[in-house]
Amino acid sequence: MTAVQSSLTRTSDTALAGGKPRSSYSIPSLRRLYLSRYGLLLLAGALLVVAVFLLAAWQSRTRMLDAAAVEVAQRTALLEAHMSKVFESNELVLGDIVRRVEGMSWGEIRDSPDISTMLSEREADMRDIVDVELLSPDGNVVSHSNRFPSSTVDESDLDYFRFHRDSADDVTYLGEPVISHLSKVRSMTMSRKLRGPDGSFNGVVLLTIPVTYFSELLDSAMSKSDVAVLSRNDGTVIVAAPAPVADPDAPPQAHALFRAGAFPASPGSYRLLDSSGVARTVALRNFASYPLAVAIGVDESKVLEPWRSSNVLYVSILGLAVTAFLVSASIARSRAVSLTESNVALRETTSRLLLSQDSERRKIARDLHDSTAQNLLGANVEIEIALRRNPALNAEARAALERCAALISRSEQELRTLSYLLHPPMLDESGLPNALELLVSGFEKRCGIEVELRVAPQLAIVRPSRHVELAVFRVVQEALSNIHRHSDATTARIRLVNPRGGSHSVLFLTVSDNGGGMIDAAAVGVGLASMRGRLQALGGTLEITSGAKGTTVTATVPG
């Protein structure tokens, strides 16, 4: 026992004996206190508070950065998913066009206004497309969504035409951004190969998506201080945000995130310094079906602004708090005695309240069972007599009386269940093991949850006190109620053991389930407080552990 604890004990003894412990101190006495061993303990406590504050501040900073990393990763995932849907929708458009022109000659395609109209309709259906083209095997534009007849433009030197001409695969190709010859807008290309009747290369169907469309998507997923890029998997930037002020349509040759050697090569979350020396938390995500990647980087200084602002205030408060702590610690010693006495009185009051509540429950249960339930039983018997003595009743009247009898029987059953839940007579008559068996049996029938009950055999021979039996029964009752209402469990287990036996041992109770765990202990209302109050009044304890595999309630109470 430390000196402070010894002093507190002596003060408590004095207070309980009727003495007058000191409740205030003069400045000289405080000075002597600080120079004494108590003062050293108070100083150590103050330093501990400062150390805890610094540790908490650092942990708060780490949590804030971790939360920012999770948040930016979520935004990046949503952005990737949205862009993937855009590409998938455009793939469907390409496939539909391929099927429409299949079997047509290039002369028919060139002279068909219906084909040009169809291309225009596909462009109008997709808000992200600005041009749809059909290219012949020699690379010339034969049909266009925005002009009929189409002007002859040779695109045989562009990457998407060369890819389909030289590749044997029928895949959708994402080409390098180009300046559209009609819209004059820098656009990303998507294309599919056309095959002739013999399976040979027979041209290309092409659509273009303006880079500004992707810029808008990036802008929608970032704040003012963020940076974001859409790139190929090899690091080639397709579009960056914020875009260059001088020429937003110009191809980005470099970006703040792409400082040499700084940008990671694999997907994930990273912390790095960009080319401007700004510390950023970056989330990089690859597209599942396309050779592209999207990244968003947040400015850590902006993320930590609330943390810095709050710490200035907290440091000021901490200084005042430490000063107040040193002054008030000695006063708190004497108040601790009063608090202890108040807690004892509170537990006694709680115990008396629970005993009164149990007594009232017992009375109500007895009244319901002995009067109301008997009245319902008598009413049911009278209805049966009336039915037997009046066989000439018409069918409608007989059906009404039978329904009335059924309702009375159901009400009688529910009343008996309520009476049992208020106070089980089996507990007084044959003890805790039989009362628990009856409780578990009724719970399984009402809730459909399988319960395994194991009770130490000696508890049927050497019964605990009536108050202990009632407290254990109520804890099990409340725990089963919480399992039914909150856990989504299919099975539960109850263990009640008395390791040492005899009348002076400790009862150990565990109630566990295979549910999803308890999200919030407050979610079960006042039930936990009621269980804990009953056990504390008897010198017992209550612990609750919860996880993904279920919840376990552990209670101990002197037998």
Side-chain angles (χ1 to χ4, degrees):
M1 180 179 293
T2 66
V4 171
Q5 290 173 321
S6 301
S7 176
L8 179 58
T9 302
R10 289 194 298 272
T11 303
S12 175
D13 293 341
T14 302
L16 294 174
K20 296 181 179 180
R22 297 168 65 184
S23 59
S24 61
Y25 296 86
S26 62
I27 297 299
S29 66
L30 280 176
R31 187 176 296 111
R32 288 194 299 272
L33 176 64
Y34 296 152
L35 295 175
S36 67
R37 52 187 176 179
Y38 300 115
L40 293 177
L41 289 175
L42 292 177
L43 180 60
L47 293 177
L48 178 61
V49 170
V50 173
V52 169
F53 169 79
L54 294 176
L55 177 61
W58 182 259
Q59 290 178 339
S60 174
R61 180 182 185 275
T62 302
R63 285 194 299 270
M64 191 168 289
L65 290 176
D66 290 343
V70 172
E71 189 268 341
V72 74
Q74 292 173 342
R75 282 193 283 150
T76 305
L78 290 174
L79 188 59
E80 180 270 328
H82 183 77
M83 289 185 176
S84 293
K85 291 296 183 184
V86 171
F87 291 131
E88 291 169 3
S89 299
N90 290 340
E91 275 200 83
L92 294 176
V93 172
L94 289 172
D96 182 56
I97 296 174
V98 169
R99 289 189 292 273
R100 288 291 300 273
V101 302
E102 188 175 9
M104 296 180 65
S105 67
W106 284 106
E108 292 173 333
I109 294 173
R110 180 185 301 107
D111 299 333
S112 174
D114 292 338
I115 294 298
S116 179
T117 300
M118 182 268 294
L119 299 181
S120 300
E121 290 174 349
R122 297 298 178 270
E123 177 187 329
D125 291 341
M126 307 297 291
R127 61 181 294 265
D128 53 294
I129 299 176
V130 295
D131 290 314
V132 185
E133 303 174 0
L134 289 171
L135 280 66
S136 62
D138 56 4
N140 289 320
V141 178
V142 175
S143 186
H144 198 284
S145 60
N146 294 320
R147 179 179 297 176
F148 180 81
S150 174
S151 57
T152 301
V153 179
D154 185 6
E155 298 183 1
S156 59
D157 60 334
L158 297 180
D159 63 322
Y160 51 82
F161 184 84
R162 297 196 307 272
F163 174 83
H164 290 300
R165 182 190 60 195
D166 300 336
S167 172
D169 297 328
D170 289 333
V171 297
T172 300
Y173 179 72
L174 299 178
E176 298 292 338
V178 296
I179 303 296
S180 173
H181 61 85
L182 280 181
S183 62
K184 306 302 181 184
V185 175
R186 185 169 177 268
S187 304
M188 187 175 180
T189 61
M190 291 187 68
S191 55
R192 282 274 300 272
K193 178 188 294 187
L194 294 172
R195 289 190 179 274
D198 59 353
S200 62
F201 172 70
N202 192 37
V204 174
V205 56
L206 169 76
L207 58 83
T208 62
I209 309 171
V211 170
T212 53
Y213 175 77
F214 295 106
S215 298
E216 292 173 358
L217 291 180
L218 294 179
D219 289 338
S220 67
M222 52 186 281
S223 62
K224 292 182 179 179
S225 61
D226 296 346
V227 292
V229 291
L230 174 65
S231 68
R232 293 187 176 277
N233 286 340
D234 60 4
T236 304
V237 178
I238 297 173
V239 60
V245 177
D247 186 2
D249 289 332
Q253 301 300 323
H255 192 268
L257 287 180
F258 283 80
R259 185 167 63 90
F263 198 79
S266 58
S269 295
Y270 303 89
R271 296 181 62 191
L272 51 82
L273 292 176
D274 65 16
S275 58
S276 303
V278 177
R280 294 191 181 275
T281 296
V282 180
L284 174 67
R285 188 177 181 91
N286 290 117
F287 286 63
S289 304
Y290 304 98
L292 302 174
V294 62
I296 300 178
V298 297
D299 187 344
E300 291 185 358
S301 64
K302 299 295 183 182
V303 172
L304 294 175
E305 278 183 355
W307 177 81
R308 285 192 294 268
S309 300
S310 61
N311 276 347
V312 171
L313 176 62
Y314 293 155
V315 167
S316 302
I317 295 175
L318 178 64
L320 296 174
V322 170
T323 303
F325 169 75
L326 295 175
V327 174
S328 62
S330 57
I331 302 174
R333 291 193 306 153
S334 60
R335 292 182 177 176
V337 176
S338 299
L339 180 60
T340 301
E341 294 174 348
S342 299
N343 288 336
V344 172
L346 178 61
R347 284 196 294 269
E348 292 176 351
T349 302
T350 302
S351 177
R352 288 195 297 270
L353 178 61
L354 291 173
L355 290 176
S356 175
Q357 184 185 68
D358 290 329
S359 177
E360 188 66 23
R361 282 184 173 184
R362 185 182 293 107
K363 181 179 180 299
I364 294 173
R366 184 169 56 250
D367 291 343
L368 289 175
H369 181 273
D370 295 344
S371 61
T372 308
Q374 300 305 318
N375 293 337
L376 289 174
L377 178 61
N380 202 4
V381 171
E382 292 296 331
I383 290 176
E384 291 179 359
I385 294 173
L387 289 172
R388 287 198 302 269
R389 292 183 177 179
N390 294 276
L393 280 176
N394 61 63
E396 183 177 353
R398 178 173 293 276
L401 286 175
E402 289 175 348
R403 289 195 299 270
C404 185
L407 289 173
I408 290 175
S409 297
R410 189 185 309 166
S411 299
E412 179 188 358
Q413 183 61 38
E414 292 175 354
L415 196 63
R416 292 185 184 278
T417 301
L418 175 61
S419 174
Y420 177 80
L421 292 177
L422 284 172
H423 185 79
M426 184 70 72
L427 187 63
D428 296 331
E429 296 170 2
S430 58
L432 184 59
N434 290 336
L436 290 178
E437 287 181 6
L438 189 58
L439 173 66
V440 167
S441 175
F443 176 79
E444 289 179 326
K445 292 178 181 178
R446 291 192 305 273
C447 305
I449 298 175
E450 181 181 351
V451 181
E452 179 186 352
L453 173 65
R454 292 189 181 180
V455 180
Q458 62 265 33
L459 292 178
I461 303 173
V462 182
R463 292 181 58 177
S465 68
R466 181 170 62 89
H467 299 308
V468 170
E469 284 189 331
L470 183 58
V472 171
F473 182 85
R474 292 300 186 196
V475 169
V476 173
Q477 190 179 43
E478 181 64 29
L480 290 178
S481 176
N482 288 337
I483 290 173
H484 171 58
R485 289 181 294 174
H486 304 290
S487 72
D488 293 329
T490 57
T491 61
R493 300 174 63 187
I494 301 173
R495 299 288 185 274
L496 179 60
V497 297
N498 186 8
R500 292 165 50 190
S503 58
H504 300 288
S505 60
V506 177
L507 297 181
F508 290 88
L509 170 69
T510 59
V511 183
S512 59
D513 63 67
N514 66 343
M518 185 185 299
I519 299 176
D520 184 2
V524 296
V526 297
L528 287 179
S530 174
M531 287 193 287
R532 187 169 282 112
R534 286 183 180 276
L535 294 174
Q536 287 179 346
L538 298 172
T541 62
L542 179 72
E543 294 182 1
I544 298 177
T545 57
S546 184
K549 295 184 178 181
T551 300
T552 300
V553 176
T554 304
T556 62
V557 60

